[in-house]
Amino acid sequence: MDNILNILQKVRDGELEAAAAERELRALYYSDMGFALVDTHRRYRKGFAEAIYCPGKSAEQVTAIARELRRAGGGNILATRASGEIFAAVRDALPDAVYYPISRLILLPGEQRREQGNVLVVSAGTADWPVAEEALITARAMGCRAESLADVGVAGLHRLMAHIDLLQAARVVIVAAGMDGALPSVVAGLVPRPVIAVPTSVGYGANFQGLAPLLAMLNSCATGVTVVNIDNGFGAGYAAALINMNETTEQ
Amino acid sequence: MDNILNILQKVRDGELEAAAAERELRALYYSDMGFALVDTHRRYRKGFAEAIYCPGKSAEQVTAIARELRRAGGGNILATRASGEIFAAVRDALPDAVYYPISRLILLPGEQRREQGNVLVVSAGTADWPVAEEALITARAMGCRAESLADVGVAGLHRLMAHIDLLQAARVVIVAAGMDGALPSVVAGLVPRPVIAVPTSVGYGANFQGLAPLLAMLNSCATGVTVVNIDNGFGAGYAAALINMNETTEQ
Amino acid sequence: MDNILNILQKVRDGELEAAAAERELRALYYSDMGFALVDTHRRYRKGFAEAIYCPGKSAEQVTAIARELRRAGGGNILATRASGEIFAAVRDALPDAVYYPISRLILLPGEQRREQGNVLVVSAGTADWPVAEEALITARAMGCRAESLADVGVAGLHRLMAHIDLLQAARVVIVAAGMDGALPSVVAGLVPRPVIAVPTSVGYGANFQGLAPLLAMLNSCATGVTVVNIDNGFGAGYAAALINMNETTEQ
Amino acid sequence: MDNILNILQKVRDGELEAAAAERELRALYYSDMGFALVDTHRRYRKGFAEAIYCPGKSAEQVTAIARELRRAGGGNILATRASGEIFAAVRDALPDAVYYPISRLILLPGEQRREQGNVLVVSAGTADWPVAEEALITARAMGCRAESLADVGVAGLHRLMAHIDLLQAARVVIVAAGMDGALPSVVAGLVPRPVIAVPTSVGYGANFQGLAPLLAMLNSCATGVTVVNIDNGFGAGYAAALINMNETTEQ
Amino acid sequence: MDNILNILQKVRDGELEAAAAERELRALYYSDMGFALVDTHRRYRKGFAEAIYCPGKSAEQVTAIARELRRAGGGNILATRASGEIFAAVRDALPDAVYYPISRLILLPGEQRREQGNVLVVSAGTADWPVAEEALITARAMGCRAESLADVGVAGLHRLMAHIDLLQAARVVIVAAGMDGALPSVVAGLVPRPVIAVPTSVGYGANFQGLAPLLAMLNSCATGVTVVNIDNGFGAGYAAALINMNETTEQ
Amino acid sequence: MDNILNILQKVRDGELEAAAAERELRALYYSDMGFALVDTHRRYRKGFAEAIYCPGKSAEQVTAIARELRRAGGGNILATRASGEIFAAVRDALPDAVYYPISRLILLPGEQRREQGNVLVVSAGTADWPVAEEALITARAMGCRAESLADVGVAGLHRLMAHIDLLQAARVVIVAAGMDGALPSVVAGLVPRPVIAVPTSVGYGANFQGLAPLLAMLNSCATGVTVVNIDNGFGAGYAAALINMNETTEQ
Amino acid sequence: MDNILNILQKVRDGELEAAAAERELRALYYSDMGFALVDTHRRYRKGFAEAIYCPGKSAEQVTAIARELRRAGGGNILATRASGEIFAAVRDALPDAVYYPISRLILLPGEQRREQGNVLVVSAGTADWPVAEEALITARAMGCRAESLADVGVAGLHRLMAHIDLLQAARVVIVAAGMDGALPSVVAGLVPRPVIAVPTSVGYGANFQGLAPLLAMLNSCATGVTVVNIDNGFGAGYAAALINMNETTEQ
Amino acid sequence: MDNILNILQKVRDGELEAAAAERELRALYYSDMGFALVDTHRRYRKGFAEAIYCPGKSAEQVTAIARELRRAGGGNILATRASGEIFAAVRDALPDAVYYPISRLILLPGEQRREQGNVLVVSAGTADWPVAEEALITARAMGCRAESLADVGVAGLHRLMAHIDLLQAARVVIVAAGMDGALPSVVAGLVPRPVIAVPTSVGYGANFQGLAPLLAMLNSCATGVTVVNIDNGFGAGYAAALINMNETTEQ
């Protein structure tokens, strides 16, 4: 049950009481679950359902919100930074849930969409991969064709240069890097496309849990770079998907 | 004289000596000006000429680089954070230079392009306007159709809501805000498009010259937000232009 | 035994020795417990008993202070940031103690007061609830009528707008938010009442354990906002109660 | 011309054309001045007109906004952090404007209100006075009875104690302090009323332009303290006024 | 065996070989233990033996250094921040070792000295006590008469004022406080003696593990305050002892 | 006129009216100057008159406070961080005022005291001298015998070692250093006396206006070091004087 | 099999298929292991094989990379910050692996080189030893003659001075220090050689996990000091080796 | 007059009085100039004379120290961060002084040395040149053969790659970069030599005056990088010279 017309027709046809219809109409905007007001309207407003940020929520709360979002219909649903324990609870309730343990994402599959565009997710080192994977799965869950290129940090530039064709074929490039955060500048110097830089908390000492690459990326000497929060692979994947889908939704 | 073929034809036709031709071929990649190696190849690689960042350069240096970039041909050329004194020197050498004193941009007009897409630049307060204008002029100089909506801070949300149609019509939205940096989150909650947030240094005390809105924007609770450096209107305009042009260059 | 007159009358009536009376009179100001000088005078000076901040105190110390405060008489007594272990010890000694595990508050009920005024506690996300609950219970313990509105973050403004009547009916509004800390500015733009903003440590990366929303709230572009420490729901509830009770105690 | 009814009556009476009436009705919400959307509705929503934050605005812009706010009618209007140059421009246009050079406030007097309540503004040192004065004038401009007590820092507590009656008579206390920011804790330990702490940038070295007292105040060991931005006397005065007026507007 | 003369006499008397004597003479300056060069000369140079900072050292290393310092003779020896596990190992080797579990100090008693002077250790709250105790035991171990006054934070000033005679009798005052760090300023406003302020890491949120009281204390508006590192009770006790003993060692 | 007895005798002798006597008695505690409550009681409580912190005060205010402090009688009076302009105004009113332009101190000479004790002020580099001089003059103004040793930074340790006798003769050592702030640790390793470390803002880049030496000094690996605020020569001199005078005032 | 010529000869001799030869040639540049692109070319470009940074990699990944690097031939191979668990896995696969548990280094021995030059690793305290050892083993693994001098902090300078000959004999000096970070300045004041300073995270409170010594070292008042990241013993050892080998590789 | 033997011979030959000889012998270690103890011994200890850091010194002081250093004999003498005004004073006294206005260095030429080795100074952008030039002139003044390569930032990598032979020929590489500080990592990935990274304060906003590139460089993912203070071209040149000269002084 996913739009206003349906509800009104059911009222007209006597299939739905007025009071029930009112509840359903309100639920198109948000569902009051007591502990949360789930923004069920977001898929109409933003094109994608609300994602569930798991930290600070109990397994029961995550499960209940996931169930409610699915009830509200539509595409894939994501829960981010989910522990294995939370996934176990969600899977009990929604058996088709899929878990990505490295990036700690839960995916509740929705209706299939044709993959479009071309998002490339680049990571500087092996330790940056969990963040890069979060971006990759998010972009795919939002309907993007998306590939990855891992471990091409600037200490051995030839590894990046050997894949210049991948870089040039992308419509948007996500670059996840910790330590000195130098890779996005190098990539953005090579491609005529938007680059989304994701600082990771990989490093130690004066890295300050990702502050060093964050500042470096905000100060990139190359053009076309925008930045998301430290370790925010989800946010990078989401923004990349909006950019990647631009021309489709436009016309 | 702007491509390899031309140069080679002139050599073949005896119009150009080999040594001169070599210099010209190298200059397609960069021009060695003694104090600078101007990246004349950037327009081929990135789609737009190098912009000149004025702080730390003398008026003579800016003028010389500007002249060299124009000689290398192509579209509009921008010099950012230019003082009036620098503009005076540039205009003496290149009389068609245009100056935007509020955003301190110099524009050297190149060949006309048809404006495309739809970039919207939103600013929270009147004091944020110089940064917003820098984004606006940059996006236009890169060939975008671009409009602005000024002074719609969240302390009076109805001013933003009264222009919801402008927001929904945009392909990319740039939001410049100082103080609490709350506006990008509100805008991104309303539109299904990428939002580029530009923190400005407007504020005082615990604003720490734009740190407060920068952190707020990096932590936006709304999806689709990416961030550029404090007061970096140019970077926001540039990234928005790359996003805005996506479908055109794609096909 | 809770005031000077009582003590003096007992002395006059021969019910109390002079030495004992002196100890009791001193104890009206503070009780020397060896490890602590409990400020028993606070209820006269501030209108409410001292609250017990549990971190760094043993279960025995918390219990002893709680017992002493109750002995000193008067209204409700709160212990903040109490672990379950501490609560167990307190309940053994004072069986009517009540525990709020989410906000980790212990309430020792005192004499009933009529609830007054109207405090509204608003939280941006489900993960901010523990802090909001601490504010809510504190305000109620201090005699306020207090309600809450949870999960109305600015990424889906319609959830807030649907409860505009609740906002307008409040005499004081407490707003707890992590991440970008944008909600207090939006709320303060809508209501003609004092807004107490409580940054929470919800977030990651460049959130820096609540620094991002703290700075955003200190820089609010809306008027009437004051701020308390990160995660300080108790402090927000206390200040709101003082504001809420203003007219009552005034006359 | 200050309300909807008036406008509609003029239309009915033929005194106003429909198009002009529409402009006037919109202007009840905001006035589009090109460079600013003045929030003329704020006086209805918040009880007081928008204040003009001068930094980053030209003298012409401040003057135009001031004129527009006065046209929109109602009470006193404030412009904050105004230079003498800006005041000169404002006074040329609005000759009854008053300037407070120490706190850099411009006051445009509106209709008189009876002063109510009792706000006390306390400052720790002589150097904190400009911030304290900004709070004092703001509170008075918003209709409060307000007094001040200057130079009572904790290095000589007897100066504060000698005025304990002033402290106890206040309904709200504003405390402005730089350096160690210790005064609000001491004051809040003595009074049963809300204390608004204003850190000032008075100090040097590890004061970090007011960071030291800001952090101290956010961590106050006394209850009932809330905090505003460094040097934000205006914000403190505004919040104090909302608190001070509570019971009046309530009944 | 503790001085040069003794060693030389033994050589003269044939009790000691030249090579052994050389080793002993060098050991008056430092003992090379392989993993450490124990500064056995410090007691001659500074008046007190080197204290052992335990973190980063194994139980075996602490024990060996303690044994060596005792072998080098003289007064009390302290090991700071010692875990119970380390104490167990030390006590096995040196059975008269004493442990203070709250302040995590180990004391190896040396030759008795007459207690002198008058050090007062003041703490703001019960949670600050471990740091205060470290200062107290250190000062006593260095031969000071030392007393303490706990839980006299500025939120209830009368508790401090009730002990004004203790304050006035002290030759040096140590003040340990977390949260807002306001107590040293108040104490230094009352006494004509040096005040050593010790910020503690007691607090949360914008306390930043003691940064807030550290900055407050460095910016004290009262004179005569000097500051040591956060939680550095040992350093405060040591400096206080040097100050307290001043006149004795002088004459 | 400087004590209670005098005032009372004058009343008894009919030389003073009761009302005038009351004003004079109050003025023993503080003088209400309108813009300041001068703490005239401080000389009784602390042993020295209040010092005048000039920043944020007008030349008229400084002069008036200076005059009032002198009227209240007693020893030397200091005004710190005074500009030449302020000194000119003070000297017009109080012609015996002395100015130290390097350390920006004004000294109003009071009754002579015999110099006592032995304070040594050490500075690391020539650029640290203004701060060292502020400490030196302050200590002397408070009655100390005080000497200085300039430009003995650790990059050339032999300069310090050549003056080991000066170091060993001191009762208190003040060490002013910028850059790496290493000198206090080296000095404290050599002397059995309290060392007061003064970080200076000498340096650049990652010095962060004195933060680097401040942190280094707070973390000194040598014992007996306490620290004052960056550039706070006055505070160091004051604390050193209190320490230096210890045994005198004791007996 | 370690160079291009070998591969080509095998192809010519029919020992290697063209496809296999291509894979081997590519592997001279990097090996694609799926999760990592191992930079096997680094030993040609930098003179030493890539080191494996273990955090964020699984034991399997570390083992696989180690095996691949050894397969690519050449000298010693290091894995840094390896847990005992990772070492166990590596040793199962490569039994000659050596583990240094204090510095958490794994060494895979390669072909022996003659030790050259003279690197001296100095540490300030016993707790700094793990970082110093990491530098020492790294320098030796890269072919340096290297010695160490531990526990010579500036609080007892005579320990350092007693080893002045060691200092003067070194070609490069590495100095690891936590707390105040003063030792590198003292050492650099004594030797005419490059000093590499390594701040360690040894300390507490305002040490901020090594920030204090990092800033001190960056601001060293002595010349010839360069700095690496906090606790980065590996980086210091690596850079020292490059410096130490300078004259050898030069000629 | 530059060594001990000379002085002693003159005494023996009756050319020098004992008292004068003593002064001259002491002056071999340092010269007491009242305001400074010039470390004339440094040239023996470090191989180069003390450099004069001009900020905080008067023109007279700089001149006097320069004169004294020259009197003490030996090689080139540098004064850093000298204003034009200071240079004018120095040149009046020492007419052969040379000024480099861009890097604000004064060079007092000493005896000529043969240039040795090969230092390469690389800068990322034109605005970084002043810092790079300071490094270049310093290295040359210390006897190095030194070249530069300017404006090869990573946004146009081909400019760097076109000069790979310069990079490979260097014995030490200095890399000065502001903004994202990415260039040292890229350079260190390409060369088998020590790389000294110099962060510059070029940038704005979240660059925080060079903090961003400083942190990036400390976290370099490439090996062989050490770092000096922000804008410390002198320090980089000095350290590079020590490294560059290694083999010479070794043999």
Side-chain angles (χ1 to χ4, degrees), chain A residues 194 223-226, chain B residues 48 51 78 80 105 116 118-122 130-147 172-176 195-199 226-229 231-245, chain H residues 204:
Chain A
T223 44
V225 178
T226 59
Chain B
F48 299 94
L78 288 172
T80 64
L105 277 172
Q116 298 177 342
N118 194 350
V119 173
L120 179 66
V121 180
V122 178
V131 176
E133 189 189 272
E134 193 186 41
L136 185 71
I137 305 299
T138 299
R140 285 182 180 155
M142 290 175 69
C144 301
R145 187 178 305 117
E147 297 303 325
V172 198
V173 186
I174 295 170
V175 184
V195 171
I196 299 178
V198 197
T226 59
V227 185
V228 296
N229 195 3
D231 289 336
N232 189 5
F234 167 74
Y238 197 106
L242 291 184
I243 294 170
N244 182 56
M245 310 307 252
Chain H
Y204 57 89

Side-chain angles (χ1 to χ4, degrees), chain D:
Chain D
M1 188 169 312
D2 63 350
N3 64 37
I4 298 175
L5 213 63
N6 276 354
I7 297 172
L8 296 180
Q9 286 172 339
K10 286 187 185 169
V11 173
R12 190 197 53 192
D13 300 348
E15 295 175 31
L16 204 62
E17 291 293 316
E22 189 208 348
R23 270 200 307 278
E24 290 207 3
L25 281 167
R26 290 184 79 121
L28 289 178
Y29 290 90
Y30 63 84
S31 295
D32 190 340
M33 311 193 63
F35 62 90
L37 300 182
V38 178
D39 185 358
T40 44
H41 183 254
R42 193 165 297 177
R43 55 183 286 235
Y44 302 102
R45 210 164 69 246
K46 296 278 294 185
F48 300 95
E50 189 176 355
I52 309 169
Y53 176 67
C54 294
K57 298 196 181 73
S58 67
E60 291 68 34
Q61 290 177 328
V62 171
T63 304
I65 296 172
R67 205 195 297 257
E68 180 65 18
L69 284 169
R70 173 164 281 189
R71 197 199 55 71
N76 294 321
I77 295 161
L78 288 171
T80 65
R81 304 188 173 228
S83 63
E85 187 184 7
I86 281 182
F87 172 62
V90 169
R91 191 186 41 193
D92 283 353
L94 303 158
D96 59 340
V98 181
Y99 189 49
Y100 297 85
I102 291 174
S103 49
R104 290 181 296 148
L105 276 172
I106 298 172
L107 171 68
L108 290 178
E111 42 190 60
Q112 289 282 32
R113 304 190 195 183
R114 191 173 58 81
E115 288 198 345
Q116 299 178 341
N118 195 350
V119 173
L120 179 67
V121 181
V122 178
S123 70
T126 304
D128 302 313
W129 180 248
V131 175
E133 188 189 272
E134 193 186 41
L136 186 70
I137 305 300
T138 299
R140 285 182 180 155
M142 289 175 69
C144 301
R145 187 179 304 117
E147 298 303 325
S148 67
L149 174 58
D151 200 21
V152 291
V154 304
L157 269 181
H158 59 292
R159 297 174 297 188
L160 183 71
M161 292 311 191
H163 297 88
I164 190 77
D165 49 338
L166 266 179
L167 289 170
Q168 287 177 339
R171 189 176 286 173
V172 199
V173 185
I174 295 170
V175 184
M179 298 194 170
D180 52 19
L183 188 56
S185 291
V186 170
V187 169
L190 298 171
V191 301
R193 294 299 192 161
V195 171
I196 300 178
V198 197
T200 73
S201 54
V202 170
Y204 57 90
N207 190 282
F208 297 120
Q209 282 80 53
L211 180 64
L214 171 64
L215 293 184
M217 291 168 180
L218 286 167
N219 285 283
S220 178
C221 60
T223 45
V225 178
T226 60
V227 185
V228 296
N229 196 3
I230 298 162
D231 290 336
N232 189 6
F234 167 75
Y238 197 106
L242 291 184
I243 294 170
N244 182 56
M245 310 307 252
N246 236 359
E247 84 284 19
T248 310
T249 44
E250 181 70 8
Q251 286 150 8

Side-chain angles (χ1 to χ4, degrees), chain E residues 42 45-47 171-172 188-194 196 214 218-219 221 223-229 232 234 238-239 242-244 246-247 249-251, chain F residues 42 45-47 171-172 188-194 196 214 218-219 221 223-229 232 234 238-239 242-244 246-247 249-251:
Chain E
R42 194 165 299 178
R45 210 164 69 247
K46 294 280 295 184
R171 190 176 286 174
V172 199
L190 298 171
V191 300
R193 294 298 192 164
I196 300 179
L214 171 64
L218 287 167
N219 286 281
C221 61
T223 44
V225 178
T226 61
V227 186
V228 296
N229 196 3
N232 189 7
F234 167 75
Y238 197 107
L242 291 184
I243 294 170
N244 182 57
N246 235 2
E247 84 284 21
T249 44
E250 182 70 9
Q251 286 151 9
Chain F
R42 193 166 299 177
R45 211 165 67 245
K46 295 278 295 183
R171 189 175 287 173
V172 199
L190 297 170
V191 301
R193 293 299 191 163
I196 299 177
L214 171 64
L218 287 167
N219 285 282
C221 60
T223 44
V225 178
T226 59
V227 186
V228 296
N229 195 3
N232 189 7
F234 167 75
Y238 197 106
L242 290 183
I243 295 170
N244 181 57
N246 235 0
E247 83 285 18
T249 46
E250 181 70 9
Q251 285 148 10

